[in-house]
């Protein structure tokens, strides 16, 4: 499902159940040793997908893929990538950093968001559009799609900026026919970040009981000298550098 959503330079690997016999490397195992079984399973299969995707770009895939302080997967320097998992689906995507500046993917069950969540994560105009989509195109849970798109935005944004992004910091418009969505980062989200991305374009799909969204930003769209890589990692003004 995910392959159709990504730039040609991005390799992907997805599964719809946890394959038997997959194990973690010892350094990865330490990250989930005390986690509940469901978390251990999604993490293990996510790392398996990551290694399979890395092999597809002919990148050595025998090194541990650890997690950074904000939960982000720590890819080799020359690689960009993203991982998602939800009930009945796990996927990872990777690309060479020389070709792709950032990529973010997210999968969610194609089920209504719990009561109150749309109001919590969507701007008023997004809520109105979502309700209209639910009326006009009832085959897909557009509230869940919007949520997934926001998660993909964050996973694309964070590796570029090393900064948080709140749900109300990105305005998303989903095209229900064309399979795309547009993202505008609002001024408060980009405040204080040099060369912050202002817009992204993503793609979505739905099927097999899940919705999937993805954003890929090519290196041509975002050359390395636009990336605030030396920006201290701060969380809403509190420096953790
Ligand atoms: C981190 C977050 C995006 C994960 O999304 P999710 O739908 O809960 O879970 P998913 O299974 O799809 O994704 C989990 C994976 O995301 C990746 N991830 C976690 N934090 C990340 C970060 N800061 N940057 C990039 N990827 C990250 C990890 O690979 C993780 O899997 P792993 O721990 O097994 O390696 C979400 O929990 C979160 O914190 N959201 C708040 C921020 C946000 O969405 N803002 C909205 C901006 S418009």
């Amino acid at each position: 499902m995910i392959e159709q959503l990504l730039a040609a330079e991005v390799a992907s690997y997805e599964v719809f159940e946890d394959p038997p016999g997959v194990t973690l490397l010892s350094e990865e195992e330490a990250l989930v040793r005390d986690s509940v079984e469901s978390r251990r399973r999604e993490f293990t299969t996510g790392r398996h997908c990551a290694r399979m995707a890395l092999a597809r770009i002919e990148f050595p895939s025998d090194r541990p893929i650890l997690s950074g302080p904000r939960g982000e997967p720590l890819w080799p320097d020359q690689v960009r990538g993203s991982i998602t998992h939800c009930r009945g689906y796990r996927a990872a995507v990777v690309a060479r950093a020389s070709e792709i500046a950032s990529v973010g993917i997210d999968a969610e069950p194609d089920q209504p968001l719990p009561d109150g969540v749309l109001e919590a994560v969507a701007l008023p105009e997004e809520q109105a559009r979502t309700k209209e989509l639910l009326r006009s195109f009832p085959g897909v849970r557009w509230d869940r799609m919007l949520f997934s798109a926001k998660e993909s935005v964050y996973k694309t944004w964070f590796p570029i900026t090393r900064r948080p992004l709140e749900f109300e910091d990105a305005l998303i418009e989903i095209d229900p026919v064309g399979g795309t969505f547009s993202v505008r980062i609002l001024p408060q989200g980009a405040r204080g970040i040099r060369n912050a991305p202002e817009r992204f374009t993503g793609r979505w799909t739905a099927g097999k009981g899940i919705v999937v969204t993805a954003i890929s930003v090519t290196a041509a769209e975002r050359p390395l000298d636009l990336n605030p890589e030396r920006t201290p990692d701060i969380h809403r003004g509190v420096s953790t550098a």
Side-chain angles (χ1 to χ4, degrees):
M1 282 178 87
I2 195 110
E3 191 180 4
Q4 54 179 304
L5 304 184
L6 293 154
E9 300 87 343
V10 182
S12 61
Y13 194 86
E14 65 187 355
V15 294
F16 296 88
E17 53 190 38
D18 295 314
V22 169
T23 53
L24 292 170
L25 300 175
S26 59
E27 297 94 326
E28 297 167 339
E29 175 66 36
L31 299 180
V32 288
R33 188 163 291 138
D34 299 327
S35 303
V36 295
E37 185 54 24
S38 55
R39 170 63 181 144
R40 289 175 54 80
R41 274 204 303 268
E42 67 176 24
F43 183 83
T44 303
T45 306
R47 263 35 188 191
H48 170 66
C49 291
R51 274 188 264 285
M52 299 301 276
L54 281 168
R56 288 182 170 173
I57 56 166
E58 296 175 349
F59 210 89
S61 56
D62 54 350
R63 310 254 171 82
I65 303 162
L66 302 179
S67 302
R70 306 270 179 237
E72 72 280 14
L74 298 178
W75 303 103
D77 277 352
Q78 309 91 320
V79 171
R80 301 290 181 264
S82 184
I83 295 174
T84 187
H85 24 58
C86 70
R87 181 188 285 264
Y89 187 74
R90 284 82 162 88
V93 300
V94 294
R96 291 188 177 268
S98 55
E99 297 178 322
I100 292 290
S102 190
V103 58
I105 62 169
D106 186 78
E108 299 282 331
D110 190 0
Q111 299 286 328
L113 286 174
D115 282 351
V117 174
L118 182 65
E119 292 71 19
V121 301
L123 294 160
E125 53 266 65
E126 291 174 328
Q127 292 178 38
R129 265 191 231 122
T130 301
K131 286 171 188 164
E132 178 53 36
L133 286 177
L134 287 166
R135 272 191 298 274
S136 307
F137 300 90
V140 173
R141 285 309 308 193
W142 298 105
D143 48 346
R144 191 66 81 150
M145 190 73 81
L146 179 71
F147 180 78
S148 175
K150 294 227 175 198
E151 300 291 57
S152 279
V153 169
Y154 180 67
K155 292 182 191 178
T156 309
W157 164 271
F158 184 80
I160 295 174
T161 63
R162 314 291 307 166
R163 302 291 186 99
L165 190 71
E166 305 299 330
F167 287 102
E168 66 271 20
D169 292 341
L171 178 66
I172 295 181
E173 188 166 359
I174 298 171
D175 175 351
V177 179
T180 60
F181 60 92
S182 65
V183 183
R184 187 153 63 84
I185 305 298
L186 300 179
Q188 75 271 10
R191 190 166 299 137
I193 306 175
R194 191 173 54 88
N195 294 325
E198 292 173 5
R199 290 176 187 278
F200 298 117
T201 301
R203 299 192 64 81
W204 63 265
T205 189
K208 301 182 193 254
I210 55 169
V211 300
V212 187
T213 58
I215 297 171
S216 34
V217 180
T218 64
E221 288 173 276
R222 192 164 182 91
L224 263 183
D225 58 8
L226 267 186
N227 290 344
E229 285 181 311
R230 298 286 169 262
T231 308
D233 185 1
I234 63 161
H235 200 269
R236 280 288 175 240
V238 180
S239 175
T240 57

